[in-house]
Amino acid sequence: MFVYFQGDRVWRWGNGIGHKRTMITLDAENGEKSSNLFENLPGSVDAVFESTFGGDVFFFSGDKYYKYTNSYNYSESGNIADLIPSLPSDLDAATVVGDEGDIYFFKGSNFMIYNHLSKELSESFAISDTFESVPSDLSAVFYEDSAKGFLYFLKEDLKFVRYSTTKDRVTNTSLFNVKFLKCKKAKKMT
């Protein structure tokens, strides 16, 4: 599963039969108003990820986090430092990667990995040292199931870079909404 936010709009996908990407969002072109799905969510979201264990959705805004159950029910909120000590505030992006469910947090030109089993946060790594040809200052990142092993890095201009974790290189660049939102033509949402 992966969730993408732009402004107050949200899109959500899951993996259907044969790991084919399936749109869960009802309005594929315009997304859904986030407040219709997630009660008590602030107007500005910095990063979001959906846990592969239990399906909880975590949102990050400034120095706060907001947790929702897999049925979109508000569960809890608090300070990021209370959820994951040493995790910085004002994140750019977050995603769950791999079968083990490691969570990658991105900020500026760096990222950190949180292991939800050991509850340990890694040191900070440079994006460019780990993911060659991938830009920094991202607006979103998401991972497409282990069968394909693709990480998608998005910028504000809706361009994405698809990085293969199995080939350890960039395999595609394109406009985000042409590939994923199934729009007839690419346009920036405001």
Side-chain angles (χ1 to χ4, degrees):
M1 299 276 188
F2 38 96
V3 181
Y4 175 70
F5 265 79
Q6 188 169 33
D8 68 344
R9 310 304 289 183
V10 61
W11 291 263
R12 186 169 179 251
W13 295 265
N15 290 319
I17 297 171
H19 295 287
K20 291 190 179 229
R21 191 177 311 113
T22 304
M23 174 71 73
I24 297 172
T25 302
L26 299 177
D27 183 348
E29 184 169 352
N30 299 309
E32 295 179 55
K33 194 161 179 67
S34 58
S35 60
N36 291 345
L37 292 176
F38 303 103
E39 183 182 359
N40 299 326
L41 191 65
S44 172
V45 173
D46 298 327
V48 59
F49 75 87
E50 186 167 7
S51 170
T52 55
F53 299 95
D56 293 334
V57 181
F58 290 82
F59 297 91
F60 298 87
S61 180
D63 64 351
K64 303 286 186 205
Y65 78 91
Y66 302 83
K67 178 183 174 184
Y68 294 78
T69 64
N70 61 359
S71 56
Y72 300 137
N73 293 321
Y74 174 76
S75 175
E76 66 182 70
S77 61
N79 292 320
I80 290 174
D82 295 333
L83 180 68
I84 303 174
S86 300
L87 186 66
S89 58
D90 300 311
L91 296 165
D92 293 333
T95 191
V96 177
V97 176
D99 293 331
E100 271 126 74
D102 286 338
I103 304 159
Y104 284 47
F105 292 100
F106 296 83
K107 181 171 179 165
S109 60
N110 298 306
F111 74 100
M112 302 169 96
I113 303 170
Y114 179 73
N115 181 299
H116 75 95
L117 297 174
S118 67
K119 307 284 189 229
E120 292 180 4
L121 184 66
S122 74
E123 62 185 90
S124 184
F125 303 102
I127 294 170
S128 60
D129 288 348
T130 306
F131 305 106
E132 189 176 330
S133 302
V134 170
S136 56
D137 298 314
L138 302 160
S139 61
V141 177
F142 56 90
Y143 179 75
E144 189 169 20
D145 72 70
S146 301
K148 295 182 180 183
F150 291 137
L151 271 166
Y152 292 86
F153 298 89
L154 282 76
K155 294 288 284 180
E156 284 294 326
D157 60 4
L158 292 181
K159 290 181 181 168
F160 76 81
V161 173
R162 183 176 73 192
Y163 187 91
S164 170
T165 58
T166 58
K167 296 178 181 178
D168 201 26
R169 65 180 175 88
V170 170
T171 58
N172 190 17
T173 58
S174 189
L175 290 175
F176 176 66
N177 51 354
V178 170
K179 290 273 186 185
F180 290 92
L181 302 182
K182 311 289 189 218
C183 295
K184 292 180 182 171
K185 65 179 187 173
K187 65 179 182 180
K188 185 165 182 172
M189 308 292 262
T190 55

